Amino acid sequence: MSDTHLDSNIPGNPAYHFTILPPERATGAGWGQRPELVPGARALTRCVHAGVQPDPAYGAVMPPLYLSSTFAFKDICTNAGYDYTRSGNPTRACLEEALTILEGGSGATCTSTGMSAVIVALNLLPVGSHLICTVDCYGGTFRALEHAKKTYGLEVTYLDLADLDAVKAALRPTTRMIWVETPSNPLLRLTDIAAIAKLAKAHGALTAVDNTFLSPGLQRPFEHGADLVIHSTTKYLNGHSDVVGGAVLAAPGNTALAQQIQSLNNLLGTSQSPHDCFLVLRGLKTLQVRLKQHQATATEVAAFLDARPEVRVVHYPGLASHPQRALAERQQDGPGAMLSFELNDGSRERVDHILRSLRWFTLAESLGGVESLVAHPASMTHASMTPEARAKAGISDGLIRLSIGIEDPADLIEDLRQAFETLPVPTIATHAGAHI
Ligand SMILES: *Cc1c(COP(=O)(O)O)cnc(C)c1O
């Protein structure tokens, strides 16, 4: 076990100052120019090239997968920049560099899961901190915060972050972080990142944005003043439902914060395996292409649902009826591909029918993969919330969430249509005498 990566070259131990050998690739001119050095590369191009350049040893176009847990020292204080894979790994570094480029941050650290990214970010908070969190946050984040309340005495206030006066009123001298998820899960409520970041900054608190639902392909929170971006790379960034992973990123110019999150990831032992990093890096290349189709399909499905008489409301930022449409257009590059809808009659029987009769939508948790999924938040993703907390967050039993994949919209619409058309007759529509 080595902590040299954590402590090396931090002023205070001059007797053991490390020499990092210049990486071969720095001298490997001719293999290709690093993508961040190409001025003005656009999103589609950045996704393909970020963090990757031909390997100097053999010119391999994809980065080598370095599975080694440990790295040789040349002598007592000289290595090639890596000593132990928990602390740092060349394959992981490629993914971290790619994510840093895509989000526009100063540094990233990749974690074993999205939840461990949440844990790394929460570990920035000193004892006695107060945190303000969006009321309809990811269920796992809610569970982690409730655990931190009981175990570490973290104080947490859950709020609708659209209500800026309420956020102002909730600030305490000990408020050190505001936790934003936008769009939120599962109601697709938006938070004005710039407005929250301004409030937080004036108060000396950090703004952390969980950007999982859109990815940097559609929203870059640092452009709006966020200090930290959190990802479950399990979702859109990897996009193929075959990896769990996460990432924490620090804002541009804040290299101290970047170093802190990297140190915490090493200290907590939450870093991501090189193999998983390799897969996420592979998925990243098609992020922008996937998002285009995800959104095209989602837009048609949302319009179809919006016109169905069985549906009370569709939550999707791409619909003209979304109450925060203007903010979506200002803050996002597109509406994304997550949506939820509520049935007029959300009885157990009818919800069950929809969930059971869909053929292209798999009943499963998670999101952001190329295949469409359907979920029932009250019994699945948000089951760890108390019924009171769910009610407060507006998550009813009749709410159904869809993660729209990249299938042909016509197939998904046909599937939804057959599920609606075979719905059992609502109990309220039967003659009154039978329903006492
Ligand atoms: C899935 C998810 C997480 C947790 O990520 P895992 O990879 O499942 O640990 C955190 N935040 C949001 C918004 C998510 O959707």
Side-chain angles (χ1 to χ4, degrees):
M1 196 168 62
S2 158
D3 282 319
T4 50
H5 188 76
L6 179 58
D7 298 326
S8 65
N9 299 343
I10 290 173
N13 200 356
Y16 291 95
H17 197 83
F18 263 72
T19 304
I20 295 177
L21 292 174
E24 285 288 322
R25 60 202 220 170
T27 59
W31 286 119
Q33 204 183 359
R34 290 182 86 54
E36 70 274 26
L37 300 180
V38 180
R42 292 163 180 82
L44 278 163
T45 312
R46 281 203 310 268
C47 277
V48 175
H49 293 283
V52 174
Q53 68 167 12
D55 147 56
Y58 300 106
V61 168
M62 270 303 277
L65 172 49
Y66 291 100
L67 291 170
S68 189
S69 59
T70 189
F71 295 83
F73 281 64
K74 193 162 187 222
D75 62 42
I76 183 168
C77 281
T78 312
N79 64 29
Y82 296 97
D83 52 37
Y84 188 64
T85 276
R86 169 162 46 76
S87 323
N89 175 282
T91 309
R92 192 186 305 135
C94 287
L95 176 59
E96 289 168 344
E97 188 179 327
L99 294 175
T100 302
I101 292 169
L102 297 184
E103 281 288 6
S106 64
T109 192
C110 289
T111 57
S112 55
T113 62
M115 278 318 299
S116 55
V118 171
I119 298 300
V120 165
L122 293 181
N123 269 272
L124 288 164
L125 299 171
V127 174
S129 293
H130 170 245
L131 174 145
I132 297 173
C133 181
T134 181
V135 66
D136 50 358
C137 66
Y138 177 69
T141 302
F142 175 78
R143 194 162 44 202
L145 290 172
E146 290 299 295
H147 177 75
K149 264 163 72 175
K150 276 189 253 142
T151 318
Y152 306 109
L154 179 71
E155 294 185 356
V156 185
T157 305
Y158 299 98
L159 279 180
D160 175 2
L161 299 184
D163 185 350
L164 291 176
D165 289 332
V167 177
K168 242 181 262 175
L171 287 168
R172 303 179 193 172
T174 51
T175 307
R176 299 245 155 70
M177 191 179 275
I178 303 185
W179 192 276
V180 179
E181 264 182 51
T182 181
S184 71
N185 177 27
L187 293 172
L188 286 297
R189 288 185 182 138
L190 307 191
T191 295
D192 186 335
I193 301 171
I196 292 290
K198 200 168 148 210
L199 272 183
K201 205 147 280 174
H203 195 76
L206 295 172
T207 303
V209 178
D210 184 330
N211 201 25
T212 300
F213 261 42
L214 289 176
S215 90
L218 295 175
Q219 175 172 272
R220 290 163 303 283
F222 293 141
E223 291 173 3
H224 307 287
D227 300 290
L228 290 160
V229 167
I230 288 87
H231 274 290
S232 167
T233 57
T234 310
K235 316 294 168 55
Y236 289 101
L237 287 168
N238 179 59
H240 294 75
S241 311
D242 51 10
V243 172
V244 286
V248 187
L249 293 104
N254 201 343
T255 47
L257 190 60
Q259 205 168 36
Q260 261 181 298
I261 54 175
Q262 283 152 3
S263 296
L264 281 169
N265 197 12
N266 179 41
L267 177 154
L268 294 166
T270 40
S271 44
Q272 189 169 27
S273 87
H275 187 263
D276 290 348
C277 293
F278 181 85
L279 287 173
V280 177
L281 201 52
R282 188 180 199 259
L284 258 194
K285 290 176 183 288
T286 56
L287 173 67
Q288 215 67 31
V289 183
R290 282 186 278 114
L291 286 172
K292 271 190 188 176
Q293 189 56 48
H294 274 297
Q295 291 194 127
T297 303
T299 300
E300 291 199 33
V301 171
F304 166 80
L305 289 170
D306 204 34
R308 286 303 301 193
E310 300 87 346
V311 173
R312 194 175 70 76
V313 59
V314 181
H315 305 285
Y316 183 58
L319 286 173
S321 57
H322 192 282
Q324 293 162 301
R325 183 77 192 269
L327 175 58
E329 286 176 354
R330 190 163 77 240
Q331 184 166 273
Q332 306 174 190
D333 291 346
M338 292 301 299
L339 61 88
S340 60
F341 64 96
E342 242 168 273
L343 295 174
N344 276 330
D345 170 359
S347 63
R348 173 78 188 259
E349 188 192 15
R350 288 166 72 81
V351 171
D352 273 355
H353 171 85
I354 298 274
L355 299 181
R356 269 206 234 104
S357 47
L358 289 171
R359 290 174 296 213
W360 290 123
F361 293 85
T362 305
L363 179 60
E365 301 200 355
S366 197
L367 59 112
V370 292
E371 60 289 307
S372 292
L373 303 178
V374 59
H376 181 235
S379 68
M380 295 167 74
T381 49
H382 290 66
S384 61
M385 289 172 86
T386 60
E388 299 75 45
R390 268 202 304 274
K392 198 171 161 222
I395 301 165
S396 74
D397 287 350
L399 186 76
I400 294 175
R401 187 187 83 174
L402 301 180
S403 169
I404 303 294
I406 61 171
E407 299 95 335
D408 192 308
D411 286 324
L412 300 186
I413 287 170
E414 250 170 48
D415 196 20
L416 285 160
R417 181 178 289 122
Q418 62 80 24
F420 283 125
E421 284 175 355
T422 53
L423 264 173
V425 179
T427 38
I428 39 175
T430 58
H431 62 94
H435 188 67
I436 304 167

